[in-house]
Amino acid sequence: MKLHKVRTYKSAEHLAREDQLAWKFAAMAADDVPLDDDVVEMIGNRIIDNASVAAASLMRRPVVSARMQALAHPYKRGATVFGLPADQRVSPEWAAWANGVAVRELDFHDTFLAADYSHPADNIPSMLAVAQHCGLNGSALARGIATGYEIQVNLVKGICLHEFKIDHIAHLGPSAAAGIGTMLGLSTEQIYQAIQQGLHTTTTTRQSRKGEISSWKAYAPAFAGKMAVEAVDRIMRGEGAPSPAWEGEDGFIAWLLGGPKAEYFVPVPEIGERKRAIMDTYTKEHSAEYQSQALIDLARRMRSSVKDFSKIASIVLHTSHHTHYVIGTGANDPQKMDPNASRETLDHSIMYIFAVALEDGTWHHEHSYAPERAKRPETVALWHKVSTVEDPAWTKRYHSHDPNEKAFGARVVITMQDGSVIEDELALADAHPLGARPFKRPDYVRKFRTLAEGIIGQEEQDRFIKTVERLTELTTDELAGLNITALPGKCEPGKAHGIFDWQG
């Protein structure tokens, strides 16, 4: 692994293709190295994880809307859509769209945090759709996913987007495009162009995760996946891309990030090096923004020490810069304290999350966000006593490159009305690889069965798990088995109509 320095170059300067970040990523993507066994197992875990959260979200309005859009684009070969029979196919970019929304809607799958943050499993829907449409096998799919994770994770390590209010899907467009290129066995030149188109078409602002957060938070990664599919399609037809996309004088760094004088250092595997970045990532046990995972676990641990919640005077979470300014009181978002806020807003309010977890001693992807739960008077009173402050020590741990130091937790100080103090801290979520109960394959399967209960039949659940266990052995025909079909009545069509189903 080498650090590649990335900066802006004037048009009059010569920057050889081989020295551009997009080319280095493309060369790595085209390098057909074997996958380690633990990497293959983790890829399978993330496919199961995606299916889990997709099953639980099948009847949520954003997912229904995206599915209806996809169904307006049937295709003879095509790709499958979560919840529908495997023989019901749509055009691959629309399958990527519908499945991407289903995977992302509950904010409940894997994560990677470093200089920026991401949900790398957002790469998978677009790759699975293309693999099914193009008649690829399980081995090709696994190699593509490994590439997508490699690029996503290394971009997140090297380039901070949120500092400049750019949404993190700007790292997803290039990674998904590259992963698709790996699957299809495209040349370095083709993947190079696709990566740059992927970046150019997915640079959007972070307003999608600010203020009155809407359903677009779930749609944004699906949009990036759809753009990646379309980018690769154009490149395969001989089209090109804005180059160099990152380093150009009017490019991404110069105008959307740190400017012409900024320098970034991005890790890039050397040719022949195994792709192992997926092993740096971690999933969620709780359906909430990742910085809240450890705090939910900590709230469950602390609640037994609080005899009367009404006697609490204040709760202060001493935490990292990111947690304070993105999901804490440092964001200065009044919506984060509003009982009428959307689910998307509440899962980005650590004040709300900690209060509910402290009261309930648990967290549920639906019940914990229910409007009647958010409006409970005693909850609102407790919620409004919670605040966050940045602690430099937690910020340092958040940004550490040492996995044994890196942490996403907080120190919590609960002050009672009588002046007594209850204090505790937790660095990592229990389910984190270095946490108290690291997630293994049985945990992913349990999460899947819990979220799929009453939605996906027991026999279908069993079939899906067995299919994933044979991932790299799957034939072209068997790849459709990575879809999950819902029970009758659990995946109904939507009622709202758009342009694609306009009746006049």
Side-chain angles (χ1 to χ4, degrees):
M1 187 77 68
K2 285 189 175 181
L3 283 179
H4 176 62
K5 185 169 78 172
V6 190
R7 67 172 179 87
T8 297
Y9 287 77
K10 294 183 178 180
S11 297
E13 295 182 86
H14 175 66
L15 178 62
R17 280 189 170 186
E18 293 76 12
D19 294 326
Q20 296 174 25
L21 181 59
W23 186 274
K24 290 185 177 293
F25 277 150
M28 180 272 293
D31 186 24
D32 188 18
V33 294
L35 298 182
D36 293 331
D37 291 344
D38 58 343
V39 168
V40 172
E41 181 178 6
M42 188 59 72
I43 291 171
N45 289 342
R46 298 307 160 75
I47 291 173
I48 294 170
D49 209 32
N50 276 11
S52 303
V53 293
S57 69
L58 282 178
M59 289 307 295
R60 295 180 62 83
R61 181 185 48 77
V63 179
V64 173
S65 295
R67 186 165 64 244
M68 293 304 294
Q69 287 186 300
L71 289 173
H73 299 272
Y75 206 91
K76 186 176 181 180
R77 286 182 296 170
T80 62
V81 175
F82 277 135
L84 301 180
D87 60 356
Q88 191 167 2
R89 302 291 186 110
V90 302
S91 190
E93 76 277 19
W94 285 101
W97 170 255
N99 293 338
V101 176
V103 162
R104 193 70 184 87
E105 163 65 10
L106 289 176
D107 202 351
F108 201 3
H109 63 335
D110 76 357
T111 305
F112 180 73
L113 306 168
D116 208 73
Y117 32 87
S118 66
H119 300 278
D122 289 335
N123 282 278
I124 296 175
S126 59
M127 295 182 202
L128 178 57
V130 170
Q132 290 177 340
H133 172 72
C134 293
L136 305 181
N137 58 29
S139 178
L141 173 64
R143 293 196 304 274
I145 292 172
T147 289
Y149 269 82
E150 197 69 47
I151 292 179
Q152 176 105 125
V153 166
N154 289 320
L155 281 172
V156 170
K157 287 179 178 178
I159 297 179
C160 178
L161 300 174
H162 68 84
E163 178 183 359
F164 303 98
K165 313 308 177 188
I166 300 299
D167 195 22
H168 57 63
I169 69 166
H171 287 337
L172 177 61
S175 63
I180 293 169
T182 294
M183 290 194 316
L184 294 172
L186 301 184
S187 68
T188 300
E189 168 69 22
Q190 289 172 305
I191 300 174
Y192 163 74
Q193 299 290 358
I195 286 173
Q196 294 184 112
Q197 273 204 25
L199 173 65
H200 191 72
T201 58
T202 58
T203 53
T204 62
T205 72
R206 278 195 57 80
Q207 190 59 39
S208 60
R209 301 165 205 280
K210 180 75 173 174
E212 295 182 8
I213 303 175
S214 76
S215 58
W216 184 252
K217 183 169 73 74
Y219 275 88
F223 175 78
K226 184 172 182 288
M227 291 300 99
V229 176
E230 293 177 354
V232 174
D233 181 79
R234 286 187 292 267
I235 295 306
M236 291 177 69
R237 298 178 191 278
E239 306 308 320
S243 301
W246 275 284
E247 300 96 338
E249 186 172 4
D250 284 346
F252 191 49
I253 292 173
W255 287 101
L256 296 175
L257 298 185
K261 295 183 179 180
E263 292 183 346
Y264 297 92
F265 295 87
V266 180
V268 181
E270 297 186 74
I271 300 302
E273 188 174 350
R274 300 291 181 98
K275 300 179 175 75
R276 294 189 52 81
I278 192 173
M279 303 306 296
D280 292 341
T281 64
Y282 24 86
T283 194
K284 295 180 177 182
E285 183 176 5
H286 315 295
S287 179
E289 213 269 5
Y290 194 81
Q291 278 75 14
S292 65
Q293 300 293 301
L295 282 162
I296 291 172
D297 293 333
L298 184 56
R300 295 191 299 186
R301 190 165 82 188
M302 295 182 75
R303 72 185 305 270
S304 62
S305 300
V306 182
K307 304 306 179 185
D308 187 345
F309 296 121
S310 69
K311 302 298 184 183
I312 292 175
S314 68
I315 301 176
V316 181
L317 314 181
H318 299 260
T319 188
S320 68
H321 177 278
H322 175 88
T323 304
H324 174 56
Y325 284 103
V326 175
I327 64 173
T329 48
N332 293 316
D333 289 344
Q335 296 86 355
K336 287 180 168 53
M337 308 299 282
D338 183 359
N340 296 304
S342 67
R343 182 197 190 280
E344 291 83 2
T345 298
L346 293 178
D347 84 4
H348 275 57
S349 171
I350 191 57
M351 292 73 69
Y352 173 78
I353 291 168
F354 191 83
V356 172
L358 190 66
E359 286 185 328
D360 295 352
T362 188
W363 195 262
H364 190 271
H365 65 281
E366 292 180 341
H367 305 326
S368 298
Y369 293 107
E372 60 272 17
R373 185 69 192 81
K375 295 176 183 178
R376 193 181 297 175
E378 60 270 28
T379 297
V380 175
L382 180 60
W383 171 9
H384 287 188
K385 294 175 183 177
V386 183
S387 63
T388 64
V389 295
E390 181 186 358
D391 183 328
W394 285 103
T395 298
K396 180 182 178 183
R397 294 193 68 179
Y398 181 99
H399 291 292
S400 175
H401 295 292
D402 180 355
N404 294 312
E405 180 186 28
K406 193 175 186 66
F408 314 107
R411 178 171 61 91
V412 175
V413 179
I414 301 176
T415 303
M416 305 302 292
Q417 291 175 359
D418 64 5
S420 61
V421 173
I422 302 167
E423 184 175 343
D424 201 353
E425 67 177 53
L426 186 63
L428 296 169
D430 291 346
H432 187 277
L434 299 178
R437 295 180 286 99
F439 256 43
K440 306 292 185 183
R441 175 62 61 86
D443 299 293
Y444 288 95
V445 172
R446 183 176 64 254
K447 181 177 175 180
F448 170 69
R449 294 196 186 280
T450 299
L451 295 181
E453 185 177 359
I455 302 168
I456 310 298
Q458 184 67 44
E459 185 177 340
E460 172 70 353
Q461 291 181 33
D462 295 343
R463 182 207 58 76
F464 173 75
I465 295 299
K466 289 179 181 178
T467 301
V468 175
E469 289 173 348
R470 298 180 51 250
L471 176 61
T472 56
E473 302 168 9
L474 297 179
T475 65
T476 294
D477 292 337
E478 291 175 320
L479 213 59
L482 295 179
N483 176 58
I484 47 172
T485 302
L487 290 166
K490 298 299 182 180
C491 194
E492 297 295 331
K495 295 180 180 179
H497 298 287
I499 291 173
F500 296 123
D501 41 22
W502 178 255
Q503 300 297 316

